[in-house]
Amino acid sequence: MFSYHDRWEKLTQSDFEKMSYDVYAYNRGFYRWTEAYLMRSDYKQLDMPEYYVDESVTEAGKFNQEAEYYLQKMKDFCEDKDIQLVLIKAPMEGWTSGIHNAVQQYADESGIAFFDFNYVPYIDEISYDHAVDSWDGVHMNYWGAEKLSSWLGMYLVDVCGVSDVREDSRYAFLGQEAIKYDEDIARDIGLTRIDNLTDYLS
């Protein structure tokens, strides 16, 4: 799903013939990009991204009907299970002020917290920098994701009452997975710093 989400209508048999089906559960679905947009783009293209919310727009856009249906199902599920639902929008393109206003209105009417990281103060709170924290101007890279994850982790602990389970033996496997994750990050970032082809291949 992550690799082919933008071309699912054009998949061929070869797309399903992978060399390895190893499961990397410790990534939790995160695709680690370690390059920055600044390295991949002409400096002149790094102007203020278009996706920042314009506070002068006060009208709410319209929800996609299917999206609204599933959002309501998630809200109902969380209420049934006594789970605190939090809505988050990561910094990226494809987001308009009207859509922001629609989600904010839904959150306000439903009593749900909503954090839009395209928007001050949240984008400033995580010190998000479009040029270095994005991979392609659309998706966050490792550093951007780390900033947002750190903020969200503190919010979940401080406000939502999520427990710290690091000392609980039932969750010891998470510590081992974190070590593996850190090793892979160090390797990936190290690879981007190698400028000798022989060293890189080895």
Side-chain angles (χ1 to χ4, degrees), residues 116-127:
D116 187 344
F117 287 92
N118 295 298
Y119 204 28
V120 173
Y122 306 114
I123 197 164
D124 289 341
E125 283 185 21
I126 64 171
S127 302

Side-chain angles (χ1 to χ4, degrees), residues 1 36 50 64 69 86 113 121 125 144 160 164 177 182-183 198:
M1 277 175 37
E50 294 179 3
N64 170 289
Y69 170 77
V86 179
E125 283 185 21
C160 299
D164 184 338
E177 290 183 353
D182 288 343
E183 288 172 350
T198 304

Side-chain angles (χ1 to χ4, degrees), residues 148-180:
L148 181 53
S149 296
S150 295
W151 187 98
L152 179 58
M154 290 194 323
Y155 178 84
L156 292 174
V157 170
D158 295 343
V159 177
C160 299
V162 172
S163 301
D164 184 338
V165 296
R166 286 176 289 188
E167 301 302 318
D168 189 326
S169 61
R170 293 175 298 171
Y171 300 100
F173 70 95
L174 292 174
Q176 295 303 312
E177 290 183 353
I179 291 169
K180 177 65 174 156

Side-chain angles (χ1 to χ4, degrees), residues 51-122:
Y51 56 76
Y52 283 98
V53 175
D54 181 352
E55 293 184 57
S56 67
V57 176
T58 57
E59 296 137 14
K62 291 201 181 231
F63 272 111
N64 170 289
Q65 195 170 10
E66 189 175 19
E68 186 173 18
Y69 170 77
Y70 282 106
L71 176 58
Q72 187 62 44
K73 282 183 76 73
M74 284 189 282
K75 178 181 174 289
D76 294 342
F77 175 84
C78 289
E79 287 175 353
D80 289 346
K81 302 293 183 184
D82 197 26
I83 297 169
Q84 186 172 344
L85 180 62
V86 179
L87 301 177
I88 291 177
K89 177 65 183 82
M92 67 175 285
E93 293 178 19
W95 188 245
T96 68
S97 300
I99 296 172
H100 163 88
N101 293 341
V103 176
Q104 187 67 65
Q105 182 178 326
Y106 178 88
D108 292 343
E109 291 171 357
S110 304
I112 299 171
F114 171 48
F115 302 103
D116 187 344
F117 287 92
N118 295 298
Y119 204 28
V120 173
Y122 306 114

